């Protein structure tokens, strides 16, 4: 039997937290091990429970979700962090990426995206809700950045571009290996080479670049 994904949920609004809890409780492969009302408590509970994934709201008292993300990733680099965001918080995504977040999901999004994003994060993949990705690119200036991104990905081999496209779609290394008929170790090598060639620090930045270059719809 596959182990369940252990989740820490941090959200200061009780109704929203209850809604997210209800969605996740409906998936037998996910277990909520702790709930926090603010960022400081989220860090404390992450240290205590060591979840697979921490799901954090951006705006929380005492310590906001962005600062909590950075602290959790510093203390517990094995814990993936998924950020819950709204349409008005696009500008925070760059800071969240710098802090080590690996997923971005809209509070008002499809519940299936929430589950998919958490599962992807637990498997080491980067996951951006499609609507979040579109808003981020629009905010960044899609036309200019698309031209530059298209030029940047030319340094990649055809196989590396295939892998980057699937990274942009939020697939884990295991899923990419199955999709392309490769062994997982080969995919890891390709991902490492992609990050180096593109000069990006992590999978989320690579995924954003894939969106910018028009490799992901």
């Amino acid at each position: 039997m596959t182990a369940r994904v252990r989740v820490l949920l941090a959200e200061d609004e009780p109704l929203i937290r209850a809604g997210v809890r209800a969605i996740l409780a409906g998936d037998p492969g996910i277990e909520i091990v702790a709930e926090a009302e603010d960022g400081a408590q989220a860090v404390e509970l992450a240290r205590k429970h060591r979840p697979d994934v921490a799901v954090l709201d951006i705006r929380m008292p005492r310590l906001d979700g962005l600062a909590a993300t950075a602290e959790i990733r510093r203390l517990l680099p094995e814990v993936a962090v998924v950020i819950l965001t709204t349409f008005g918080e696009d500008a925070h995504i760059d800071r969240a990426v710098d802090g080590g977040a690996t997923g971005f999901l809209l509070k008002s999004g499809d519940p299936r995206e929430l589950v998919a994003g958490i599962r992807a994060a637990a498997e080491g993949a980067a996951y951006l809700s499609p609507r979040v990705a579109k808003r981020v690119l629009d905010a960044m200036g899609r036309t200019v950045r698309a031209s530059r991104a298209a030029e940047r990905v030319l340094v990649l081999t055809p196989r590396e571009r295939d892998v980057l496209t699937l990274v942009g779609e939020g697939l884990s290394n295991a899923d990419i290996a199955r999709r392309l008929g490769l062994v997982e170790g080969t995919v890891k090598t390709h991902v490492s080479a992609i990050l180096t060639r593109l000069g990006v620090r992590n999978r989320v930045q690579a995924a954003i670049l894939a969106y910018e270059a028009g490799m992901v719809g």
Side-chain angles (χ1 to χ4, degrees):
M1 180 177 177
T2 303
R4 289 194 289 180
V5 177
R6 302 174 69 255
V7 173
L8 162 66
L9 172 60
E11 163 63 62
D12 66 315
E13 296 188 37
L15 283 177
I16 295 178
R17 192 167 69 249
V20 174
R21 183 198 311 127
I23 292 169
L24 299 184
D27 190 307
I30 293 176
E31 175 188 6
I32 297 179
V33 297
E35 296 183 32
E37 298 177 353
D38 59 62
Q41 188 181 28
V43 174
E44 177 185 344
L45 291 175
R47 295 179 68 176
K48 179 179 179 180
H49 294 278
R50 295 180 178 271
D52 300 308
V53 180
V55 180
L56 308 181
D57 182 25
I58 287 181
R59 301 183 186 278
M60 292 189 290
R62 289 213 291 166
L63 193 69
D64 67 27
L66 301 176
T69 293
E71 186 66 3
I72 289 172
R73 293 289 293 165
R74 184 183 70 82
L75 295 170
L76 304 164
E78 71 278 11
V79 176
V81 176
V82 171
I83 296 292
L84 291 176
T85 184
T86 67
F87 277 142
E89 297 172 330
D90 302 337
H92 296 297
I93 290 181
D94 278 349
R95 185 178 159 202
V97 171
D98 289 340
T102 54
F104 299 88
L105 297 162
L106 281 173
K107 290 182 181 180
S108 59
D110 189 322
R112 291 172 295 184
E113 281 186 11
L114 177 63
V115 172
I118 289 174
R119 288 188 171 279
E123 294 172 1
Y127 189 92
L128 289 84
S129 163
R131 285 193 292 169
V132 171
K134 181 178 183 301
R135 300 261 317 176
V136 170
L137 298 187
D138 287 345
M140 288 177 171
R142 178 184 292 267
T143 303
V144 173
R145 293 186 66 92
S147 176
R148 292 174 181 169
E151 291 178 2
R152 288 178 69 182
V153 300
L154 290 178
V155 302
L156 303 179
T157 67
R159 178 56 85 191
E160 287 168 350
R161 287 196 289 272
D162 292 340
V163 171
L164 177 60
T165 297
L166 298 179
V167 167
E169 291 180 6
L171 272 63
S172 66
N173 287 347
D175 290 334
I176 293 172
R178 284 190 289 271
R179 181 78 66 88
L180 297 180
L182 302 172
V183 297
E184 189 170 348
T186 300
V187 174
K188 289 180 180 178
T189 299
H190 282 315
V191 171
S192 178
I194 288 167
L195 299 184
T196 299
R197 288 174 184 269
L198 296 180
V200 295
R201 291 195 301 274
N202 53 50
R203 293 176 77 106
V204 174
Q205 290 180 338
I208 290 173
L209 186 57
Y211 274 94
E212 292 173 342
M215 301 171 72
V216 181

